[in-house]
Amino acid sequence: MESPDAGSAETFKQIELVIFDCDGVLVDSERIAMRVHVLLGAELGWSLTEDEAIERFIGGSMLSITDQIAARLGDRTAARWWERFVALHRREVDTGLSPVEGLPEALDAITLPTCVASSGSHEKMIHTLGRTGLYDRFAGRIYSSTEVARGKPAPDLFQYAARRMGVDPAACAVVEDSRPGVEAARAAGMRCFAYAGGLTPRTWLEGPGTVIFDDMRGLPDLLAGRRPALPAGDGDG
C-alpha cells in the first residue's frame, strides 16, 4: 500500500466529502459484469477473455462499452448485447450480489459526508445498492454518468457530484477501483483512494495523488491520514 500522504498538500485541502464509485467499490458486481460480457461475446460473435473484458470494459459507461461493441459488431448487435446484458446482469445480481468485503464496516466508521458517482445508470444503482442493503445509506446523494456530457475518464461526473454536494473539488476524496475512474479523479483535481482488492491490476491504479489499498476496513484510517490498523492476518498484500 502506498503512503497515506500520497499527493500534494499544496494541491489538496482537508477532506470534506468522500465520493464513492459503485461497482467494485460498494458492491461486488464487477465479477458478475465481466462474466456476463464474456458470455455475451461468445454468443454474439466476439470471443473475449475475461482479461480482455476487464481491460476494455471495467469502469466504463454504457455508452463507451456500447461504442466499442458497435465498432466491432455493428449497431444492431451492440443494442442486442446491451439488452441481453441488462437482463442477465439483473438475474445474477438477484441471486449472488453482496457488498464489497469490509465495506459496511468502513461506512459505519466514516464520519465525513459521502455520495456515490458511478458510470452505471440510476436504475442499475437502485437495483444493486438496494439488493445489498446500501441504498438508504446514500439515497438523495447518488449521481450517474447519464447526467453529464462525458463519462469517466473525463472529470465531468466527479466535478458534477462535488458541485451538487457544494464542496470544492480540492476537498474531495474519490474511492475508485478502475483505471478510468482513477484517471477521472485525477483530472477533477481530487485525491484518489484506489481499491486494489478487485479485478483491476494494481499497476493500472498507480499515479500521483493516489493511495492504493487492499482492504476496505482500512479506508477510514486512510481518509484520516493514518496508516490502517487491520486485524492480524490482514495487511498490505
Side-chain angles (χ1 to χ4, degrees), residues 89 118 192:
H89 185 273
S118 171
C192 187

Side-chain angles (χ1 to χ4, degrees), residues 65-80:
I65 294 171
T66 302
D67 284 347
Q68 292 183 67
I69 298 166
R72 180 83 174 224
L73 301 175
D75 290 340
R76 291 183 62 182
T77 301
R80 174 61 175 160

Side-chain angles (χ1 to χ4, degrees), residues 135-202:
Y135 183 80
D136 287 344
R137 291 181 182 255
F138 297 102
R141 308 185 317 280
I142 299 174
Y143 309 106
S144 165
S145 64
T146 60
E147 299 174 75
V148 297
R150 301 176 299 168
K152 306 170 188 178
D156 302 32
L157 178 57
F158 291 142
Q159 291 172 339
Y160 174 73
R163 188 164 60 249
R164 289 289 303 271
M165 295 292 291
V167 177
D168 185 336
C172 294
V174 171
V175 186
E176 263 288 355
D177 74 315
S178 72
R179 179 161 53 187
V182 168
E183 291 174 356
R186 292 176 189 144
M190 300 178 180
R191 287 179 183 84
C192 187
F193 293 82
Y195 176 60
L199 297 180
T200 302
R202 192 183 190 88

Side-chain angles (χ1 to χ4, degrees), residues 10-231:
E10 296 180 358
T11 301
F12 300 129
K13 299 180 179 180
Q14 183 173 344
I15 297 173
E16 298 176 15
L17 174 67
V18 184
I19 304 175
F20 286 92
D21 178 43
C22 185
D23 295 301
V25 169
L26 298 178
V27 295
D28 194 14
S29 54
E30 297 285 22
R31 299 175 203 281
I32 292 173
M34 293 307 108
R35 186 165 65 245
V36 171
H37 279 307
V38 170
L39 176 67
L40 290 174
E43 176 183 312
L44 297 174
W46 188 355
S47 182
L48 283 166
T49 67
E50 184 169 295
D51 286 345
E52 289 170 335
I54 289 169
E55 183 170 3
R56 287 180 173 275
F57 299 154
I58 199 166
S61 66
M62 179 186 73
L63 180 60
S64 69
I65 294 171
T66 302
D67 284 347
Q68 292 183 67
I69 298 166
R72 180 83 174 224
L73 301 175
D75 290 340
R76 291 183 62 182
T77 301
R80 174 61 175 160
W81 184 308
W82 200 258
E83 178 185 348
R84 293 272 291 134
F85 177 84
V86 170
L88 291 173
H89 185 273
R90 186 176 188 88
R91 186 179 70 189
E92 292 283 328
V93 164
D94 284 342
T95 59
L97 185 64
S98 61
V100 167
E101 184 177 358
L103 186 279
E105 298 93 321
L107 291 179
D108 287 344
I110 293 170
T111 58
L112 291 162
T114 60
C115 69
V116 178
S118 171
S119 294
S121 66
H122 280 285
E123 181 181 16
K124 179 182 176 185
M125 286 187 280
I126 288 170
H127 185 219
T128 58
L129 294 174
R131 292 295 299 182
T132 52
L134 297 173
Y135 183 80
D136 287 344
R137 291 181 182 255
F138 297 102
R141 308 185 317 280
I142 299 174
Y143 309 106
S144 165
S145 64
T146 60
E147 299 174 75
V148 297
R150 301 176 299 168
K152 306 170 188 178
D156 302 32
L157 178 57
F158 291 142
Q159 291 172 339
Y160 174 73
R163 188 164 60 249
R164 289 289 303 271
M165 295 292 291
V167 177
D168 185 336
C172 294
V174 171
V175 186
E176 263 288 355
D177 74 315
S178 72
R179 179 161 53 187
V182 168
E183 291 174 356
R186 292 176 189 144
M190 300 178 180
R191 287 179 183 84
C192 187
F193 293 82
Y195 176 60
L199 297 180
T200 302
R202 192 183 190 88
T203 55
W204 293 6
L205 304 173
E206 295 171 351
T210 301
V211 175
I212 301 176
F213 68 106
D214 305 284
D215 191 321
M216 276 294 174
R217 292 168 296 178
L219 180 59
D221 282 335
L222 289 173
L223 291 169
R226 301 186 297 265
R227 190 167 186 83
L230 297 175

